[in-house]
């Protein structure tokens, strides 16, 4: 499962490499100029159409016949190798006519002279130098595609390898191909030699040449992303080692595909016949399918005929896919092969227009995590088993110890029990003996008491008699008491009724007393009012007596004369009534009213006393009753003018007499 994938546009890069003239060409074409002229500084190639006309083509790199293998690697393959190390897929491919140097460019081992090392050897050197063999892995498959049959060059028996394409990612894989892990350059070189030997043998068997098949080397580079891992773990500084070990490693998977294509010469020119013709057709089929795909991609055509051949299916990621692709087209200088050279150049020109979308291939390495966990689990199981065994042994030891202790304790307990039993048995026997002695003694005492009991029985009979007598007496007394109690109850009942009667009478008496008091109050009030009326009448009378005819207006004289007899009569009546009152009320009572709270009562009282004091017959009685003293006190204590005046008159009358 791809975890992170960032897409970067990346056009197919194309370099053209010119092979130097070989011995044959030096002779045969001695009088002729090369069919191409290279201008590497302008990255241009001029193709001579004839003696006076040339076509000019531009490439990403133009490598002359003098270009070193090192330079070719650096401009053609190194950027791709670096991408693979960064986690991208990459393709380096050589295309050209037979004998133009495709294998020389890609596959020279440089055993005699390291300067001759081709792209494959140099790429692996760079890869091995960059990876860490502890955390990363490099593995290789080596295959040959011959007439639509994919053969494993590392396992010649495996000659029909199927191509599997991931419909989602478009990744192409060959699950049936042998995959050999590379740990050093030497083993890789040996592997390449082995593959070449197998290729030679296969081709001999098939009666063909290596130039008639396509060779593919696939290098899988899997790298754990340490930087990310470190950053991640530093964010979780407190995480435990166990948690760390359970975290899957992030890995980048880059795949480098190096393709040495079969020669691209035309069938008609090769003059092939029979099997060779079929072979040439097959090669042509796959190369022309590749050409068609590249054309379609260059023209942004909607349909790319990838499925037309196994070669295009194998290279679908390299053209229009996610890989960084670098194509080196190889050409010879001979004007005799101008046609093939032109065709090769045109192929390269179209390939330059193909745009890929480079995608980073990163994923979590769950497989290695699972492996790691398996190892950890095995360790834990072994540890657990070891501990379990130790535990069981410990349990056994403890059980044996405990059983021994229990046996010991049981023995001790049995001994102790026996001792206790004997002790209690002895104590028991002694107790029984003591009890028997006691019982004997008691028996003896009992016999003695039996004699005493006989005399006691007579006394008891006597006492019983007395008791029955006492009982009958007590019963008679109780009856007497009950009688008395019933009499007492009757008496209490009659007393209660008498009490209620007396309460009623008492209430009636209280009511009568209250009424009497009320009536006395009313009488007193009426007497006071009567006194006042008497006094006023007396006053009126006196005024009439003092007035006389001279002081009364003329018209009044006659009136008085008419009235006087009537007045005198009424005065006499008044006098009689006052005297009468005096007798009825009592002098003491009248004098006590001089000290009444009410001012009006005091005024009336003083007027009555004055009126009485005016009569000589009363004066002696008034003085004796303390009336003079009462009047003097009233005079001293009151500020009322009428009281002053009337009291003074009364005092004068009493004083004169006294
Ligand atoms: N740049 C070069 N410098 C010197 N010699 C070269 C160069 N390129 C190719 N040769 C030589 O030319 C010959 C043919 O080269 P090579 O086998 O690599 O061609 P090819 O394209 O792989 O042919 P085929 O398609 O038949 O495999 C070899 O002898 C090789 O050494």
């Amino acid at each position: 499962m791809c975890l992170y994938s960032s897409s970067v546009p990346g056009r197919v890069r194309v370099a053209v490499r010119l092979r130097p003239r070989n011995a044959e060409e030096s002779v045969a074409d001695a009088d002729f100029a090369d069919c191409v002229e290279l201008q590497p500084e302008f990255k241009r190639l001029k193709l001579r159409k004839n003696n006076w006309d040339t076509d000019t083509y531009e490439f990403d790199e133009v490598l002359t016949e003098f270009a070193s293998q090192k330079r070719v690697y650096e401009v053609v393959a190194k950027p791709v190798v670096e991408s693979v190390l960064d986690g991208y897929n990459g393709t380096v491919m050589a295309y050209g006519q037979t004998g133009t140097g495709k294998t020389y460019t890609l596959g020279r081992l440089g055993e005699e002279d390291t300067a001759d090392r081709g792209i494959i050897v140099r790429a692996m050197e760079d890869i091995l130098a960059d990876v860490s063999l502890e955390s990363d892995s490099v593995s290789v498959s080596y295959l040959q595609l011959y007439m639509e049959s994919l053969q494993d060059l590392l396992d010649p028996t495996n000659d029909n390898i199927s191509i599997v394409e991931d419909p989602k990612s478009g990744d192409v894989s060959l699950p049936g191909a042998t995959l050999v892990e590379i740990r050093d350059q030497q083993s890789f070189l040996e592997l390449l030699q082995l593959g070449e030997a197998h290729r030679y043998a296969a081709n001999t068997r098939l009666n063909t040449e290596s130039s008639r098949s396509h060779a593919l080397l696939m290098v899988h580079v899997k790298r754990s992303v340490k930087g990310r891992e470190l950053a991640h773990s530093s964010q979780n500084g407190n995480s435990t080692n166990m948690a760390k070990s359970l975290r899957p490693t992030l890995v980048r998977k880059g795949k480098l595909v190096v393709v040495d294509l079969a020669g691209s010469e035309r069938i008609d020119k090769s003059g092939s016949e029979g099997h060779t013709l079929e072979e040439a057709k097959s090669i042509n089929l796959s190369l022309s399918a590749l050409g068609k795909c590249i054309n379609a991609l260059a023209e942004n055509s909607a349909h790319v005929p990838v499925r037309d051949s196994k070669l295009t299916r194998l290279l679908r990621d390299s053209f229009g896919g996610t890989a960084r692709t670098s194509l080196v087209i190889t050409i010879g200088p001979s004007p005799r092969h101008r046609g093939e050279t032109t065709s090769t150049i045109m192929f390269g020109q179209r390939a330059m227009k193909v745009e890929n979308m480079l995608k980073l291939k990163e994923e979590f390495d769950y497989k290695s995590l699972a492996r790691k966990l398996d190892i950890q689990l095995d360790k834990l199981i072994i540890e657990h088993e070891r501990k379990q065994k130790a535990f069981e042994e410990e349990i056994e030891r403890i059980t044996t110890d405990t059983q021994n202790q229990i046996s010991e304790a049981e023995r001790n307990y049995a001994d102790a029990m026996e001792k206790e039993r004997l002790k209690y048995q002895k104590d028991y026997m002694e107790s029984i003996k003591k009890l028997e002695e006691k019982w004997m003694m008691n028996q003896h005492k009992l016999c003695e008491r039996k004699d005493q009991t006989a005399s006691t029985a007579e006394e008891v009979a006597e006492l019983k008699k007395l008791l029955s007598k006492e009982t009958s007496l007590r019963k008679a007394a109780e009856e007497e008491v009950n009688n008395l109690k019933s009499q007492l109850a009757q008496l209490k009942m009659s007393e209660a009724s008498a009490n209620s009667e007396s309460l009623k009478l008492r209430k009636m008496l209280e009511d009568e007393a209250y009424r009497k008091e009320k009536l006395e109050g009313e009488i007193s009030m009426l007497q006071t009012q009567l006194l006042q009326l008497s006094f006023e009448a007396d006053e009126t009378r006196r005024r009439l007596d003092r007035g006389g005819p001279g002081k009364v207006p003329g018209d009044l004289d006659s009136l008085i004369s008419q009235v006087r007899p009537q007045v005198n009569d009424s005065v006499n009546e008044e006098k009689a009534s006052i005297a009468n009152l005096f007798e009825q009320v009592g002098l003491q009572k009248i004098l006590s009213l001089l000290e009444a709270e009410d001012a009006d009562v005091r005024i009336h009282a003083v007027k009555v006393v004055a009126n009485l004091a005016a009569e000589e017959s009363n004066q002696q009685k008034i003085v004796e009753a303390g009336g003079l003293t009462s009047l003097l006190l009233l005079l001293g204590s009151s500020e009322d003018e009428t009281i002053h005046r009337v009291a003074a008159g009364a005092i004068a009358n009493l004083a004169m007499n006294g």
Side-chain angles (χ1 to χ4, degrees), residues 17-20 65 96-105 108 210-211 260-263 330:
R17 185 180 196 187
L18 177 65
R19 172 179 56 73
E65 64 272 41
Q97 189 189 356
T98 299
T100 51
K102 298 186 291 295
T103 307
Y104 183 88
T105 302
R108 282 296 292 263
S210 65
S211 61
D260 187 354
L261 290 169
T330 55

Side-chain angles (χ1 to χ4, degrees), residues 106-114 116-125 128 140 142 154 180-197 217:
L106 295 177
R108 282 296 292 263
L109 298 181
E111 287 161 308
E112 290 161 11
D113 185 356
T114 53
D116 287 344
R117 286 169 300 162
I119 282 172
I120 289 173
V121 176
R122 288 174 191 270
M124 185 55 78
E125 278 174 353
L128 288 173
V140 162
Y142 196 15
L154 301 179
V180 177
E181 190 162 349
I182 304 298
R183 300 195 65 80
D184 58 76
Q185 186 69 7
Q186 188 54 40
S187 62
F188 177 61
L189 291 175
E190 287 166 8
L191 197 76
L192 285 180
Q193 284 165 340
L194 179 72
E196 278 307 311
L217 180 83

Side-chain angles (χ1 to χ4, degrees), residues 507-578:
K507 180 92 172 63
M508 282 168 69
L509 277 173
E510 278 172 7
D511 288 349
E512 282 299 315
Y514 175 71
R515 272 201 293 275
K516 188 185 164 197
E517 200 175 327
K518 207 175 161 193
L519 285 170
E520 278 177 359
E522 282 172 11
I523 289 165
S524 173
M525 183 61 75
L526 286 169
Q527 284 175 345
T528 310
Q529 285 173 359
L530 190 61
L531 275 174
Q532 188 181 349
L533 286 171
S534 306
F535 178 75
E536 282 169 5
D538 199 32
E539 274 294 295
T540 311
R541 185 179 54 80
R542 255 191 285 218
R543 268 199 310 270
L544 288 171
D545 286 347
R546 276 196 305 266
K551 288 177 187 172
V552 182
D555 52 343
L556 281 175
D557 285 342
S558 59
L559 183 65
I560 292 165
S561 61
Q562 288 170 5
V563 171
R564 191 175 293 273
Q566 295 170 11
V567 171
N568 284 337
D569 291 345
S570 72
V571 166
N572 288 333
E573 281 171 29
E574 283 292 325
K575 275 183 181 175
S577 68
I578 289 170

Side-chain angles (χ1 to χ4, degrees), residues 587 615-626 654 657-658:
L587 184 58
E615 296 295 323
E616 277 184 18
S617 56
N618 296 333
Q619 286 169 350
Q620 182 67 33
K621 289 176 188 172
I622 293 167
V623 171
E624 282 171 6
L654 292 173
N657 197 284

